[in-house]
Each structure stands twice: as structure tokens, then as C-alpha cells.
Amino acid sequence: MAYQVFDNKAARLGSPALTIATDGRLALNADAGDLLKGLGAKFVHLLWDAEARKIALRPLTKADSRSYKLSVPHAHKRGMLVSGSTFLHYIGWPLSKRVTLPAEWNEKEKILEAVLPVVRSAAHRTPAARSEPLRTLKEREK
């Protein structure tokens, strides 16, 4: 039997990407991390466009009351992490499945953005729907 070369099982993307993990962290791949590090980012604002189903990270060099800290999981790694479980809960994103999304740098807005796929889930409720009383939602389902 002939030997076969093992292909690295980790998917390596050649452009910025953002992964939403099941623990609520937003993980940026090496290319996205390099982009934000190049801008001197240490913090980000997490942005949500409900109509376009887009999330975005606005890089910041200094913290403010609405910012989230960027962390590097290992000193020698190029990717970055943001703890975004509160944000993901706010937008109604279910944390039941890990998803990796292509991300694009929007030069005009100075943000890194990604489009969320449509998720079909009974538990999925938008921020507006979550603010309504439950009895109203049940009445609308009838």
C-alpha cells in the first residue's frame, strides 16, 4: 500500500473571515486580525444592521463605554477574539452552531463586515420581538 500525504484538515481562508463560536465569541482569522492590528485596534464597536442582516466591527484604538476588547489567543498567533455573547443574544443569533463567514473591509465606513445567513429557529426572536410581551406574541401566532 502506498503512503498518502495528509492534507491539513483546518480550512485556511485567503481573505478576512469571522467565525461565530457556540460560546458566543467572535473569532477573526489571521487576515482579519492582521487588518485590525494594522489599524492599531485594541477594541471594537459591535454593529448590527437588521435590514441587511450584517454585523460589523468598528476598530478602535481606545476603549469607550460601548467598546469590546480584542484579544489575541496566543502571542504568536495572528487571529483575534471578541467576547460577543451579549451582542449575539441581542440580535437573536442562536449559538447552537458554529459558523464561519467571509468578511469584507468597508473602506468608506472603516468597518469589517459580514452578512449573517438566515437562521430558521423557533427560539430566534429579533430585538423588537423580544421587547413585546409574550402574550402578544402568542396571540399573534393564533
Side-chain angles (χ1 to χ4, degrees), residues 75-123:
H76 63 282
K77 297 288 184 177
R78 295 167 39 212
M80 299 178 113
L81 295 171
V82 178
S83 179
S85 57
T86 304
F87 169 73
L88 294 168
H89 177 72
Y90 170 75
I91 67 171
W93 182 261
L95 295 177
S96 58
K97 186 177 179 188
R98 179 181 175 100
V99 63
T100 299
L101 308 166
E104 291 185 14
W105 177 250
N106 181 328
E107 183 62 35
K108 181 181 175 188
E109 300 292 328
K110 304 290 188 208
I111 57 176
L112 183 66
E113 56 189 1
V115 178
L116 291 177
V118 175
V119 176
R120 303 280 183 222
S121 170

Side-chain angles (χ1 to χ4, degrees), residues 12-34:
R12 302 225 188 264
L13 301 174
S15 58
L18 179 142
T19 298
I20 301 174
T22 57
D23 62 1
R25 288 184 295 171
L26 304 173
L28 303 174
N29 73 349
D31 289 335
D34 289 348

